[in-house]
Amino acid sequence: MRVREVGERALLVEFGGGEEARAFHAEVLRRRAAGALPAVREVVPAARTVLLDGVDEPRALAARIAGWRPEPLHARVEPVVEVPVRYDGPDVAEVAAVWGVAPGEVGRVHAAGEYRVAFCGFAPGFGYLTGLPERYEVPRRATPRTAVPAGSVALAGPYTGVYPRSSPGGWQIVGTTDAVLWDPGREPAALLTPGARVRFVREGV
Amino acid sequence: MTDRAFAVVRAGALTTVQDRGRFGHAHLGVPRSGALDPGAAGLANRLVGNSVGAAVLETTLTGCAVRPRCAVTVAVGGAPCPVTVDGRPAAWGAAVRVPAGAVLEVGAAVRGVRSYVAFAGGVAVEPVLGSRSTDLLSGLGPEPLADGAVLPLGRPGAGVPVCDGVPWAGVAGEVVLRVRLGPRDDWFTGRALRTLTTGAYRVSAASNRIGLRTEGPALERAVAGELPSEGMVLGAVQVPPDGRPVVFLADHPTTGGYPVVAVVRERDLARAAQAVPGTRVRFVVAG
């Protein structure tokens, strides 16, 4: 773990891998809920870092963090968010070719495992989900689409993402969901929040 | 629609509703947004008896014109500009009474970029996640103003104006941005770090509410490859592959994968946001 100061009011806590970053993020949330953390305006997990922004005394907090021993994630049992998917995306054939499977197998492979929301970004409610085995990673499209429809389930590198609303995008689209990814009237507004466990459920099979 | 509203007569190049911003949702990918010159927006609010966080209009270079349906006290602050009510000159930086049906014209900025129009009672669009701010990166909050649109006004509170004139620091010929190096200064060569503080940078015309883009010498990376996405703060000086620093402003993305060489002090960002394209920018490392 390495703690870097970011400007005058933030800390970037960096780890060797995503697992440790997720465990640390869970520890931050646990301590915050218990009232055992000084005021932090934003807690932003990412690939292997957690940003603590809007901190009054970052150096004092950095010193405290050094003594934390986050509990491993597997000790915690959380509910699973289920996302129903029709695996009928425009890039299914291309993804199948990269994987060396029949196009009809793409959904079975993708829906087989459990995913976790590593972090959000790009757009409100857009989660970067890890859990796809390394051998199934696919590159981004050479030319991004100018409009990817809302509900598109797409792959890029180690990540799976679901577009909360129509936007430009360069990920490989393998399916579509009717799940509401983003609703500002809901608490939380995002269906997929950092740390959440996710399962994709094949529809129409 | 009630009488407490105004119609947009001339939307201008880009006029948005802004308050103090949308906090606490960065982990869901929600930018903070909010007035780019919060001091100016807060002063305009105080001139009309609002709390500093009431929603105001933020214009961009060319001002805007509105027609309130009810008599309302307004104040125009931020970038200095001519102000008229039904064609008659009115004060900039002071409370002005606009009769029902009259046109308040906020002219083009004489200096600076962003003027602020505060209405007694505030702009009362529906808040989204606790804020009325327009977020141009992700589309949350009200749309930017369009000709003919009608926006609601809040009821003025019992607050009395707590000041009656607005000083304005003005825009110097050069914007000095105090920075603290890091968190990814180790991704750049020593020469690049010297270039950052000595190079002749200027504000690019491609700047917007997301970031102040610069033109000037490229910063050379010491580390090749990609940085895994990490959380981004307001004022982050991010360096994209072309090497030209971008200073993140209120609508910045919450995570990003280009290294941040330094972070600008928050209180210097209003000056950055008021700097017209072509203005010289100097980055100064301050402890």
Side-chain angles (χ1 to χ4, degrees):
Chain A
M1 180 177 83
R2 176 163 177 192
V3 183
R4 295 170 185 263
E5 289 185 38
V6 181
E8 295 178 301
R9 301 204 56 203
L11 297 173
L12 186 68
V13 189
E14 187 176 17
F15 299 89
E19 277 291 297
E20 288 169 86
R22 276 216 312 276
F24 177 82
H25 177 234
E27 181 74 13
V28 171
L29 297 188
R30 194 180 64 72
R31 286 177 185 255
R32 181 150 84 167
L37 193 70
V40 176
R41 203 170 221 183
E42 307 283 359
V43 178
V44 187
R48 59 178 195 214
T49 57
V50 177
L51 174 73
L52 306 173
D53 191 13
V55 182
D56 282 335
E57 294 179 44
R59 280 191 187 159
L61 181 58
R64 283 173 62 171
I65 285 171
W68 291 4
R69 296 289 171 268
E71 56 179 300
L73 278 176
H74 57 74
R76 305 157 50 86
V77 179
E78 300 144 74
V80 177
V81 180
E82 293 200 339
V83 178
V85 181
R86 297 182 299 281
Y87 283 93
D88 57 0
D91 298 326
V92 162
E94 206 168 318
V95 168
V98 174
W99 288 359
V101 303
E105 289 290 282
V106 166
R108 189 189 57 75
V109 170
H110 186 257
E114 185 179 297
Y115 294 78
R116 245 187 214 278
V117 183
F119 60 98
C120 292
F122 174 64
F126 186 94
Y128 290 76
L129 279 59
T130 53
L132 189 68
E134 208 175 322
R135 64 181 181 281
Y136 293 125
E137 290 184 11
V138 293
R140 284 160 197 261
R141 288 169 52 81
T143 309
R145 290 186 170 88
T146 52
V148 174
S152 295
V153 178
L155 313 178
Y159 299 117
T160 294
V162 189
Y163 287 76
R165 60 182 186 125
S166 175
S167 61
W171 292 27
Q172 311 263 12
I173 304 171
V174 293
T176 308
T177 181
D178 294 329
V180 178
L181 275 291
W182 178 255
D183 175 3
R186 186 172 62 190
E187 177 53 42
L191 177 67
L192 307 179
T193 57
R197 297 163 66 196
V198 180
R199 269 190 172 278
F200 293 100
V201 180
R202 280 194 294 165
E203 273 191 339
V205 288
Chain B
M1 186 68 69
T2 66
D3 279 333
R4 289 211 60 80
F6 65 87
V8 178
V9 176
R10 180 178 70 83
L14 173 67
T15 302
T16 60
V17 177
Q18 297 296 336
D19 56 17
R20 303 291 260 194
R22 198 167 274 122
F23 294 101
H25 306 282
H27 60 291
L28 302 180
V30 176
R32 73 156 65 193
S33 304
L36 289 190
D37 188 343
L43 277 170
N45 269 324
R46 290 170 63 160
L47 286 168
V48 297
N50 290 344
S51 66
V52 293
V56 299
L57 298 182
E58 178 182 279
T59 67
T60 312
L61 289 170
T62 62
C64 69
V66 298
R67 187 195 301 273
R69 292 179 171 178
C70 56
V72 61
T73 302
V74 306
V76 180
C81 59
V83 179
T84 64
V85 175
D86 268 351
R88 281 187 290 279
W92 171 91
V96 171
R97 189 74 178 161
V98 181
V103 173
L104 169 71
E105 169 76 31
V106 178
V110 177
R111 286 183 301 282
V113 178
R114 293 167 171 104
S115 302
Y116 292 90
V117 189
F119 301 83
V123 180
V125 294
E126 200 57 38
V128 176
L129 297 177
S131 169
R132 298 183 164 90
S133 291
T134 300
D135 163 9
L136 293 178
L137 182 75
S138 56
L140 298 179
E143 293 279 310
L145 264 57
D147 292 354
V150 176
L151 279 77
L153 289 170
R155 299 220 160 267
V160 288
V162 289
C163 57
D164 58 9
V166 171
W168 200 63
V171 179
E174 179 181 67
V175 175
V176 176
L177 301 178
R178 290 167 295 175
V179 300
R180 180 189 286 232
L181 290 179
R184 299 294 175 191
D185 48 324
D186 49 358
W187 278 56
F188 296 87
T189 62
R191 200 169 125 197
L193 299 180
R194 283 192 299 281
T195 300
L196 176 69
T197 52
T198 57
Y201 288 100
R202 290 186 184 277
V203 176
S204 158
S207 300
N208 54 26
R209 283 187 45 87
I210 297 165
L212 176 109
R213 291 173 186 278
T214 62
E215 286 163 357
L219 300 184
E220 189 190 6
R221 292 248 296 250
V223 179
E226 280 190 46
L227 179 71
S229 280
E230 60 190 28
M232 291 285 144
V233 300
L234 183 69
V237 182
Q238 203 193 45
V239 183
D242 73 4
R244 268 88 194 179
V246 177
V247 180
F248 273 173
L249 300 179
D251 287 357
H252 71 85
T254 57
T255 58
Y258 298 134
V260 171
V261 66
V263 178
V264 177
R265 281 197 190 177
E266 191 165 336
R267 76 174 82 134
D268 290 355
L269 292 173
R271 264 175 289 170
Q274 292 289 11
V276 296
T279 305
R280 277 204 55 164
V281 180
R282 201 147 56 87
F283 295 99
V284 175
V285 174

